């Protein structure tokens, strides 16, 4: 059985209760990671890791997931503005397939269009310097992706208080 869910509502309904979710913003040079609280109401930026060898990156993400007792991973899917999928979407799907070979955690995708722009605007709004924004933007984008997914899960009745 595949651990990658294309239907996000199905992904949400099978998640274990009282456990966090991780959100990933996969860039070409970095991976932004965010985590939810165990009731899956609030997403928080966690860390940005520099990309290296896939196995090392995946192991680090799995270690973070285990340390946070996460029950699933949401990967931002960078669709084009017209909704089509280009090379970056394909790279995210390949990452997910390879990642699924290393973990039992369920994985799904969330449309991340404009998440990095929203992250940048929020960082500018709070007065972060250009240097600081560069360091944290990917993890803030991951938290926006994750928060949008959490909000959808709540609307679908996939909260952990069932």
């Amino acid at each position: 059985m595949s651990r990658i869910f294309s239907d996000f509502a199905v992904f949400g309904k099978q998640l274990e209760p009282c456990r966090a979710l991780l959100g990933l913003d996969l860039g070409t040079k970095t991976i932004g990671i965010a985590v939810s609280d165990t009731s899956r109401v609030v997403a928080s930026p966690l860390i940005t890791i520099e990309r290296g060898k896939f196995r090392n990156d995946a192991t680090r993400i799995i270690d973070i997931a285990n340390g946070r007792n996460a029950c699933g991973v949401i990967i931002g899917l960078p669709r084009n503005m017209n909704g089509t999928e280009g090379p970056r979407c394909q790279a995210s799907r390949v990452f997910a397939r390879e990642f699924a070979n290393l973990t039992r955690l369920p994985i799904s995708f969330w449309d991340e269009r404009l998440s990095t722009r929203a992250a940048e605007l929020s960082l500018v709004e709070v007065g972060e310097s250009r240097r600081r924004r560069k360091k944290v933007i990917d993890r803030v984008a991951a938290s926006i992706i994750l928060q949008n997914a959490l909000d959808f899960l709540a609307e679908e009745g996939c909260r952990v208080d069932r």
Side-chain angles (χ1 to χ4, degrees):
M1 179 177 158
S2 175
R3 289 178 300 279
I4 301 174
F5 292 82
S6 57
D7 185 324
F8 197 77
V10 172
F11 166 80
K13 289 186 188 330
Q14 62 82 45
L15 295 171
E16 294 178 39
C18 301
R19 293 182 63 189
L21 288 173
L22 287 187
L24 305 180
D25 179 36
L26 302 176
T28 55
K29 297 180 183 177
T30 60
I31 300 173
I33 303 174
V35 64
S36 75
D37 60 322
T38 57
S39 60
R40 298 197 283 264
V41 174
V42 177
S44 300
L46 185 62
I47 191 171
T48 302
I49 61 174
E50 296 292 322
R51 289 194 79 162
K53 293 187 177 190
F54 170 79
R55 186 169 284 280
N56 294 342
D57 296 345
T59 299
R60 189 147 180 217
I61 295 165
I62 291 167
D63 288 345
I64 291 167
N66 290 339
R68 297 288 177 152
N69 197 26
C71 66
V73 177
I74 298 168
I75 297 174
L77 194 61
R79 294 182 187 275
N80 296 321
M81 290 308 293
N82 66 2
T84 60
E85 293 190 10
R88 290 191 58 226
C89 277
Q90 188 61 29
S92 294
R93 291 188 185 281
V94 168
F95 182 96
R97 279 195 303 272
E98 295 299 318
F99 188 72
N101 290 331
L102 301 176
T103 183
R104 296 180 54 83
L105 291 172
I107 300 163
S108 194
F109 299 99
W110 189 260
D111 187 342
E112 70 164 70
R113 280 180 276 188
L114 298 176
S115 62
T116 301
R117 181 69 178 137
E120 185 172 11
L121 290 173
S122 68
L123 291 167
V124 167
E125 192 172 291
V126 297
E128 292 288 358
S129 69
R130 188 178 304 266
R131 173 181 259 174
R132 173 79 176 143
R133 288 193 312 260
K134 188 173 177 8
K135 289 182 181 179
V136 302
I137 195 158
D138 294 317
R139 70 184 89 161
V140 173
S143 73
I144 291 170
I145 293 163
L146 182 55
Q147 187 63 59
N148 289 335
L150 294 175
D151 293 345
F152 175 85
L153 291 175
E155 290 173 14
E156 292 293 308
C158 299
R159 278 275 196 254
V160 297
D161 56 357
R162 325 176 226 145

